[in-house]
Amino acid sequence: MTVAATIRIQEADFDVAQEIAGLSKGRTDVGAVVSFSGICRGSENGEPIAALTLEHYPGMAEAEIKRHADEALARWPLQGLTVVHRFGRIAPGENIVLVVTASAHRQAAFEAAEFLMDYLKTNAPFWKREESARGANWVEARDHDDAAAARWTKS
C-alpha cells in the first residue's frame, strides 16, 4: 500500500481532529496515531506577546519539509504522515503547526513525529517575528532546540 504523506503550508487555520481523522479513517493497518500541535503562546519569558508573524519562501519550504518527511518514511515503518504549517500573523491561542504520524505500532509513530518536529523547530525555512509592547523582534534559534534536533543526525 502506498504511504500517504500530506504537506501543506497555509495561512488559514486548520482543524486538528479533522487532520487526524483524514489520515486514519478507514485504515485497518494503522494501530497508532501520534499528533503534535504547536500553538501560539501569549507570553515569552514572562512578557506578553500580541502575535507571531511567520514568513517563508513558497516552494522552498514545501520542498524542504517534503525532504524530511521522505526521510521519516525511510527511517520508520509509517502508514502515513501529515504536516501542516501556517504562515502569516498568528494570535495567541491559534494553531501554528501540526505533525501527525500513523504506524502499526506506537514507537515508530512517536519517533517519527519527534524527528519531524525537531526539524521544523530548528531547520525548516521559516522566520518568526514576535510582536510585543517593546515592538517586533525576530526570534533566534534556541540551543535546546538545536540539541534536540542533533540526536537524529546519523553518525
Side-chain angles (χ1 to χ4, degrees):
M1 176 176 266
T2 303
V3 175
T6 301
I7 297 163
R8 292 195 324 272
I9 299 175
Q10 62 192 45
E11 195 165 7
D13 197 5
F14 52 85
D15 182 314
V16 173
Q18 185 177 333
E19 297 294 338
I20 293 169
L23 187 59
S24 59
K25 185 175 179 153
R27 301 285 300 265
T28 58
D29 58 335
V30 171
V33 174
V34 170
S35 67
F36 173 86
S37 53
I39 300 164
C40 181
R41 288 185 304 272
S43 66
E44 184 65 33
N45 297 323
E47 298 220 10
I49 293 174
L52 292 177
T53 299
L54 284 100
E55 297 181 8
H56 74 295
Y57 283 119
M60 181 176 118
E62 290 90 342
E64 277 297 296
I65 293 171
K66 182 183 181 321
R67 190 167 67 82
H68 282 81
D70 288 346
E71 184 174 345
L73 292 169
R75 289 176 81 160
W76 290 279
L78 300 177
Q79 270 70 31
L81 68 84
T82 297
V83 176
V84 182
H85 205 301
R86 291 185 61 202
F87 67 90
R89 191 170 192 273
I90 301 170
E94 292 183 346
N95 293 313
I96 300 172
V97 63
L98 175 67
V99 170
V100 184
T101 55
S103 64
H105 304 283
R106 71 180 184 275
Q107 185 173 357
F110 273 117
E111 289 177 2
E114 278 192 291
F115 167 80
L116 288 165
M117 268 316 303
D118 286 343
Y119 159 72
L120 289 168
K121 190 74 174 154
T122 57
N123 294 312
F126 287 90
W127 295 270
K128 183 168 58 170
R129 191 174 65 235
E130 286 180 349
E131 297 174 27
S132 69
R134 294 180 294 123
N137 297 313
W138 291 103
V139 177
E140 298 292 323
R142 295 184 170 102
D143 290 342
H144 65 274
D145 292 329
D146 290 334
R151 68 190 165 133
W152 303 109
T153 305
K154 295 177 184 175
S155 331

